[in-house]
Amino acid sequence: MTGQTSLSPAEVNFILHWADDKYIMGHEIASQTRFYGPDLEENLALGSLAQDDLGHARLLYGLLAESDLEIDKLVYLRSPGEYRNSLLAATQEPDNWAFWVIKGLLFAQAELVRCQAINALFSREPAQNSDKAQWLYISNIIIQDDAIHLEHWQQWLEVLGRQPEGHARLQAALERLLPLGREFFHARTWNDLAGELKIPAPESGLLLEEWNNRLAALLKPLFFNVSSLYAVNGNNWAAQYCGREGRHTPELVRMLEEDHALYQSYPEAALGSV
Amino acid sequence: MVVLTENEVRQLLTEVEDPELPINIIDLGIVEKVEFSDTGRVTVKLIPTFVGCASLEVIRLRAVEQLHRHGLAGVRVVWNLAAKWHPDMITPQGRAHLAEYGVVPSYLGQESKNVAGNSPCPYCGSNRVETQASYGAALCRVVYFCQSCRNSFEGLKCPGSHSNQLAYLKRERH
Ligand SMILES: [Zn+2]
């Protein structure tokens, strides 16, 4: 499942954002299994959701690499500042299950909006050339899997949202995470890609609006306040980072450094060692 | 160079076992195509079940090794991401092997063309089966509970299967 390297810089950048989001999200979700989730069933579910994300990441890195060894190098030999994942994928809050429910919900919805935009973008291209066909296969696989992830987190939203404490914790997580949509749908990424392919860009503002509207439709009936969706400068904490430009949280930098140190100590023990 | 027919290649692939279940990849239904180029080079196209399955590379390498051992030096084995796997693609023989092991094909939220009734119990054959958990010990599993013989067993699901997630939390507690 490895691909061609005749990609333009904008295409490489676009795929890196996508792949790094999936890789970091899978990593973060998997990290929660060591706390055994809220219960055993959820622990198994987390393992499956993380495996889906990591599988998607592997396919996407495969678009940039000629071999499995090169995929390993992309994952393990880039410095943290070369990662392009969003803050939404990276952000974490141990011991707060409501936070993970909101993070999962927002990420799955963002992923669906991104993949549907990709499908719309390439269906406009006159010739469905074979390298874009691979993008479309992967994006359709992700749409199928992330629709189920979204449903999973929606169910948790209903379960936790029934009690006052759960509702309050979910609301607090929403206020922290909803403003991260702007960074996820980073305007330049889409403009550069479309510019290079000489096709009209989907306005990243429209993608953000689509994400906002879908989330509002899920959240409002459960009596959540979604005004922070539309807050322009409402998040001082997030303003110091921009994952798309390689400015990451200290937690993510530490995690990547640990990961890389392990690989460099045992390079032969990597996943794609053939 | 060894020249084999498609059927002979498929026959060789019946000796490639799935690493997680007692079933070979032909019975599992994941061998989509065996193609021959003008120069006689063989390409085997496999259908992935879940792309996050930790066994994908193991399966591919096992297939490559098996065909190398039988003289197909230049063989390529690739995953066809455009193809979709479905439990109906498991052969009757494959179904029987899985049932002995306590695993049944699962049709969570989907229609089956071949099988009447959804995932009957592999131990007693009862249809009084409920989904205990939508996720199991591997990415492709769902856990069922048989109301008749009160055994748990696993279903083998395909990507895109929807189910009543978290049903166990929403059920009335006794
Ligand atoms: Zn039974």
Side-chain angles (χ1 to χ4, degrees), chain A residues 39 51 144 148 151-152 155, chain B residues 52 159 162-163 165 168 170:
Chain A
D39 57 33
Q51 248 181 289
Q144 179 173 268
I148 296 174
E151 183 198 87
H152 185 76
Q155 301 293 325
Chain B
H162 270 260
S163 64
Q165 299 194 56
Y168 69 96
K170 296 180 167 178

Side-chain angles (χ1 to χ4, degrees), chain A residues 131-146:
Chain A
D131 78 314
K132 292 306 175 297
Q134 285 294 323
W135 293 37
L136 288 172
Y137 296 148
I138 297 173
S139 124
N140 284 323
I141 288 170
I142 295 178
I143 288 172
Q144 179 173 268
D145 291 340
D146 275 62

Side-chain angles (χ1 to χ4, degrees), chain B residues 151-162:
Chain B
N151 275 306
S152 286
F153 60 95
E154 287 188 308
L156 185 58
K157 67 183 176 188
C158 67
S161 302
H162 270 260

Side-chain angles (χ1 to χ4, degrees), chain A residues 36-64:
Chain A
Y36 293 96
D39 57 33
L40 179 63
E41 281 80 0
E42 184 58 21
N43 203 42
L44 291 174
L46 285 172
S48 289
L49 300 182
Q51 248 181 289
D52 280 339
D53 286 331
L54 295 172
H56 300 154
R58 190 161 191 262
L59 291 179
L60 291 165
Y61 287 129
L63 292 174
L64 302 175

Side-chain angles (χ1 to χ4, degrees), chain B residues 120-126 128-129 145-151 153:
Chain B
C121 171
Y123 301 114
C124 73
S126 166
R128 289 180 55 221
V129 161
F145 181 74
C146 174
Q147 302 278 16
S148 299
C149 70
R150 310 203 61 80
N151 275 306
F153 60 95

Side-chain angles (χ1 to χ4, degrees), chain B residues 8 16 34-35 47 53-54 56 58 64 69 79 85 94 96 101 106 113-114 126 130 132 145-146 160 174:
Chain B
E8 285 167 329
V16 176
V34 179
E35 293 174 346
I47 307 172
C53 170
L56 289 186
V58 179
V64 170
R69 259 199 305 277
W79 293 101
W85 180 81
Y101 186 70
S106 158
K113 288 171 234 97
N114 296 346
S126 166
E130 67 177 32
Q132 202 165 26
F145 181 74
C146 174
H174 303 292

